[in-house]
Amino acid sequence: MSPVRRLSLAMLLGTASIVAHAEDAWVAEARQLATSVPPKLLAVLTREIDQGGASQAIGACQVQAPEMARQASEASGWKVRRVSLRERNPKARPDAWEQAALEDFDRRVAAGEVPMTLEKAERVDVGGVPTLRYARALPVGPICVQCHGDPAQMDAGVKSKLSVLYPQDRATGYSVGQIRGVITLSKPAP
Ligand code: HEC
């Protein structure tokens, strides 16, 4: 297709097709990784909750989630983390780029966009190093509110365990459909 024809087609179809044309392979790779880890964690959480209840599953989440991120990092070369505007683990505080993504996602959900598909991909300069960055929203589903929901509705055992493990916990009070945080990937650009 000639460039002119492609451009006019893109104009006709809207910005989405322009983005699709311009998308680099690294974005697809980051998206693939970011969408593969959360279902694995969800499977572990669901199993643990079924077996021993939510308070039992806290330990699994505390240990398995960072372990899964570590394994994904090791296998892929991407640095993988989870961060939130209202973090539970003090290590999960966002940097400026992640914070901007999280705030943008919150605004878009408030405006009616579907949280499931919200993502941001950008090539940025980090102290002179060209870096690839990707963030994808982690929406609150029904299972999440057992540990991140309204404290008045949460199980007493869950609350007491969380208060011991995370005295600075800011990650309650969420409802289904909100964004709990993002899974965030970065690596030096090739
Ligand atoms: C059994 C309790 C439990 C359930 C259910 C649960 N979480 Fe968590 N969540 C935790 C704990 C504990 C941590 C802290 C983990 C750590 O120390 O790294 C956490 C941390 C997080 C973080 C990392 C940022 C932070 O605040 O530390 C995100 C993002 C997150 N949870 C999202 C979710 C989502 C989305 C769901 C539902 C799919 C969910 N969680 C379900 C207990 C739970």
Side-chain angles (χ1 to χ4, degrees):
M1 199 186 287
S2 78
V4 173
R5 208 173 124 70
R6 177 177 297 165
L7 188 64
S8 57
L9 190 65
M11 283 162 73
L12 201 68
L13 298 175
T15 48
S17 69
I18 295 176
V19 172
H21 276 302
E23 185 172 292
D24 294 307
W26 71 265
V27 178
E29 183 192 310
R31 181 183 300 125
Q32 206 281 326
L33 189 61
T35 50
S36 72
V37 179
K40 286 185 204 151
L41 182 61
L42 186 62
V44 172
L45 269 179
T46 309
R47 195 184 62 223
E48 292 283 329
I49 290 174
D50 283 352
Q51 282 171 3
S55 84
Q56 196 69 28
I58 290 171
C61 197
Q62 187 190 19
V63 179
Q64 301 249 20
E67 176 56 20
M68 283 180 184
R70 198 191 58 75
Q71 279 174 8
S73 299
E74 219 170 64
S76 66
W78 288 91
K79 186 168 165 234
V80 183
R81 300 174 67 211
R82 295 189 306 169
V83 296
S84 173
L85 290 175
R86 280 174 25 217
E87 75 286 343
R88 172 156 289 163
N89 189 318
K91 288 188 196 149
R93 286 198 191 112
D95 65 19
W97 187 88
E98 289 158 342
Q99 175 151 354
L102 280 157
E103 286 170 353
D104 175 50
F105 292 171
D106 276 348
R107 267 193 301 274
R108 287 161 65 183
V109 168
E113 281 191 56
V114 181
M116 209 66 199
T117 52
L118 294 176
E119 62 173 5
K120 177 180 178 180
E122 200 177 5
R123 186 185 286 263
V124 294
D125 188 90
V126 181
V129 182
T131 303
L132 307 176
R133 303 210 61 177
Y134 178 88
R136 188 173 189 93
L138 296 169
V140 177
I143 194 176
C144 316
V145 295
Q146 296 187 54
C147 298
H148 295 293
D150 175 3
Q153 313 276 324
M154 277 163 59
D155 176 78
V158 170
K159 280 195 283 189
S160 73
K161 208 160 180 178
L162 287 176
S163 69
V164 173
L165 290 170
Y166 306 97
Q168 319 276 330
D169 189 12
R170 299 167 68 212
T172 58
Y174 287 89
S175 42
V176 172
Q178 288 184 311
I179 290 176
R180 179 59 263 282
V182 287
I183 181 164
T184 164
L185 277 59
S186 70
K187 77 172 175 189

